[in-house]
Amino acid sequence: MDRRHFIGQSAAAVGLLAGLSSQTKAANLQKAEILVIGGGYGGATAAKYLRLFSKNTARVTLIEPNTSFISCPMSNLVIGGSRNLAEITSPYDTLSKRHGIKIIQDSVSSIDPDKKTVTLASGKTLRYDKAVVSPGVSLNFKSVEGLAQANKDGITLQAWKAGPETVALHKQIAAMREGGTFAITIPEAPYRCPPGPYERACQVANYLKQHNPKGKVIILDANQDVTSKGALFKKVWAEQYAGIIEYRPKSNVVGVDAKTKTLKLEVEDDVKADVLNVLPQMAAGEIAIKSGLANSNGRWVNVNFLNFESTARKDIHVLGDAIQIAPLMPKSGHMANQHAKVAAAAIVAELSGWEVNPAPVLTNTCYSFVNDREVVHVASVHQYNAAEKTFKTVPGSGGLSPAPSTLEGVYAWGWAHNIWADSLG
Ligand SMILES: Cc1cc2nc3c(=O)[nH]c(=O)nc-3n(C[C@H](O)[C@H](O)[C@H](O)COP(=O)(O)OP(=O)(O)OC[C@H]3O[C@@H](n4cnc5c(N)ncnc54)[C@H](O)[C@@H]3O)c2cc1C
């Protein structure tokens, strides 16, 4: 055999081997059981994109207790009474009908990362090769004394997970006595949706302006200052809600007396109000904490930002609000949707024997309604930084609205309908 012939044959053999190995890997992808826990912005998007990126070959099961998806983005408009819950609700069954995802309506009660199994509340146990965990946040009721009981008694509502509480909180506001006070408390960051509480204050003030003009809104913020879109919100409060919204920074609420509807603050005097919307400290969804994934102060989940795999457990990828964020990365639905795409691409690549994208980029846009039509936004672009193994905002990217506008109100609804279609459609 001459040298040229040998090299040709060897190359063919190497080619065949490579072909075999990618076929074997492709078979790995098709054989793998991929369980997605939680059908919110992170989980629903991950389930759909695992199917899309694998050309519908990956076996994907989504476990979610709710019968339909109710969006937190836009839910403040339901609290302000200008929209209803049906307008922010999407069905889950499109994911099965259009994308072949198996949906189990149940919740995961435990994960065994050693055996690679999850147990459902119904008692059934499922095996996984890869698990994607996107359970959102849990609310730490213990961080405010008396809150758990006040919530149980229906006196305080959080409505920080959209659903029946969203409607109930609107009803409390609508039933408030003439000239009554609505108080919203904000925990120290990080918490789900930095601008969300300030948007909510605007929505409640907008409702009161029309239906209860002597009513007041007090914002008790544990942070030093407004944590997102600060100058824009403050301008709106001064121009549209003067005499209605009162903003108190550095006001950390530590207790609630449900009987007298009084909030106890760490330093300042107590505050009494008619409707109490107490947002306590937040942490990763309960299942992440219970499963030992929350290795950042027992509160959030550290992940490898190239594939969103938990640093505590192999083959468990964690998305969305549950993770320990990179600098300036908000806990937002838009971000959870972006995490999901990076994780889905990485999982398909890993199971197919392809290189995982070494330089992922994420974007974020967040719209806030300052009344029922006018909106302000903040946007940013986040690039993976290999040296520091984290995402960094790209200098000069994104930006802020110059002022609220109705045109941005149109964009905001466009954003919502697009992201619902992208995640669930
Ligand atoms: C008032 C408000 C306004 C907001 N506005 C915006 C906005 O304008 N733009 C924006 O981008 N973001 C906004 N957000 C933030 C956004 O809602 C969250 O960042 C986003 O929902 C996070 O997605 P996730 O997948 O991490 O969690 P979620 O969307 O909360 O999904 C978690 C899912 O997991 C399920 N789950 C939990 N535990 C289990 C279990 N054990 N087993 C099975 N399933 C489980 C839950 O039922 C839920 O469906 C807002 C939030 C609030 C509260």
Side-chain angles (χ1 to χ4, degrees):
M1 188 189 292
D2 66 21
R3 190 169 169 269
R4 204 173 52 178
H5 195 187
F6 172 76
I7 290 172
Q9 278 197 346
S10 306
V14 169
L16 190 63
L17 277 177
L20 270 181
S21 116
S22 67
Q23 269 169 25
T24 318
K25 294 282 189 167
N28 282 347
L29 171 66
Q30 283 152 32
K31 276 190 294 186
E33 288 292 346
I34 308 177
L35 296 185
V36 180
I37 301 169
Y41 277 96
T45 310
K48 176 171 160 183
Y49 275 82
L50 280 161
R51 291 285 293 167
L52 293 181
F53 289 153
S54 69
K55 298 202 172 118
N56 298 330
T57 60
R59 285 144 67 133
V60 181
T61 302
L62 173 66
I63 306 158
E64 163 62 48
N66 295 320
T67 49
S68 47
F69 168 92
I70 306 177
S71 176
C72 285
M74 303 299 179
S75 69
N76 281 329
L77 297 180
V78 178
I79 287 166
S82 62
R83 296 284 176 157
N84 62 53
L85 214 59
E87 291 172 279
I88 61 167
T89 302
S90 309
Y92 275 120
D93 59 3
T94 311
L95 289 177
S96 49
K97 285 186 194 149
R98 195 173 288 164
H99 301 288
I101 294 159
K102 184 174 172 192
I103 300 181
I104 298 179
Q105 199 197 326
D106 205 336
S107 66
V108 171
S109 54
S110 64
I111 304 175
D112 185 334
D114 297 322
K115 290 192 187 139
K116 295 182 96 170
T117 57
V118 308
T119 302
L120 306 181
S122 59
K124 201 170 165 193
T125 295
L126 305 171
R127 195 189 63 75
Y128 68 81
D129 296 290
K130 287 276 190 187
V132 176
V133 180
S134 191
V137 288
S138 57
L139 303 177
N140 180 3
F141 288 103
K142 287 188 190 143
S143 65
V144 178
E145 200 191 332
L147 183 60
Q149 191 58 45
N151 202 52
K152 226 174 176 179
D153 297 342
I155 292 166
T156 58
L157 297 166
Q158 277 62 50
W160 216 239
K161 296 180 185 185
E165 276 204 9
T166 309
V167 176
L169 184 57
H170 171 69
K171 284 187 182 153
Q172 283 191 347
I173 294 159
M176 194 165 81
R177 73 177 166 90
E178 214 188 308
T181 301
F182 168 87
I184 180 165
T185 79
I186 307 172
E188 259 182 51
Y191 58 87
R192 158 175 284 184
C193 192
Y198 312 108
E199 179 191 56
R200 179 169 293 181
C202 292
Q203 289 308 308
V204 177
N206 185 52
Y207 177 86
L208 295 179
K209 209 171 158 178
Q210 294 163 46
H211 303 278
N212 188 349
K214 288 189 185 139
K216 299 259 178 302
V217 172
I218 299 183
I219 308 170
L220 296 165
D221 192 344
N223 296 288
Q224 296 290 314
D225 205 345
V226 177
T227 59
S228 177
K229 306 172 194 166
L232 285 166
F233 277 122
K234 284 181 184 169
K235 197 161 182 288
V236 167
W237 296 339
E239 287 174 1
Q240 299 191 24
Y241 304 118
I244 302 180
I245 292 184
E246 184 191 341
Y247 177 66
R248 298 195 196 169
K250 297 179 235 167
S251 297
N252 188 27
V253 171
V254 291
V256 52
D257 182 337
K259 271 199 197 112
T260 57
K261 292 200 180 166
T262 305
L263 298 168
K264 295 177 198 291
L265 283 98
E266 197 171 30
V267 179
E268 297 83 357
D269 292 341
D270 294 353
V271 173
K272 258 177 104 115
D274 300 271
V275 176
L276 307 176
N277 187 197
V278 182
L279 304 177
Q281 281 176 6
M282 296 175 202
E286 220 176 293
I287 189 67
I289 295 176
K290 252 171 74 177
S291 315
L293 298 170
N295 55 356
S296 177
N297 293 330
R299 202 168 160 202
W300 307 109
V301 179
N302 284 313
V303 294
N304 169 357
F305 283 117
L306 283 178
N307 61 0
F308 285 82
E309 188 175 42
S310 137
T311 60
R313 288 302 193 158
K314 230 183 118 27
D315 293 323
I316 300 184
H317 300 251
V318 185
L319 312 175
D321 287 356
I323 70 163
Q324 173 60 276
I325 48 174
L328 302 177
M329 176 189 273
K331 290 189 182 292
S332 73
H334 195 124
M335 258 299 156
N337 167 282
Q338 297 275 298
H339 296 169
K341 290 173 186 172
V342 172
I347 291 169
V348 170
E350 283 167 19
L351 292 170
S352 305
W354 305 332
E355 189 199 2
V356 171
N357 177 10
V361 180
L362 312 173
T363 59
N364 187 69
T365 312
C366 180
Y367 292 99
S368 300
F369 279 79
V370 298
N371 53 42
D372 50 356
R373 290 174 308 115
E374 289 181 309
V375 165
V376 290
H377 83 270
V378 61
S380 49
V381 180
H382 306 248
Q383 166 79 62
Y384 183 74
N385 181 303
E388 296 182 43
K389 295 190 170 141
T390 189
F391 280 97
K392 292 245 164 133
T393 47
V394 175
S397 68
L400 272 172
S401 307
S405 73
T406 50
L407 181 60
E408 287 217 33
V410 176
Y411 295 159
W413 276 106
W415 172 88
H417 288 294
N418 275 318
I419 200 163
W420 297 337
D422 186 43
S423 307
L424 297 132

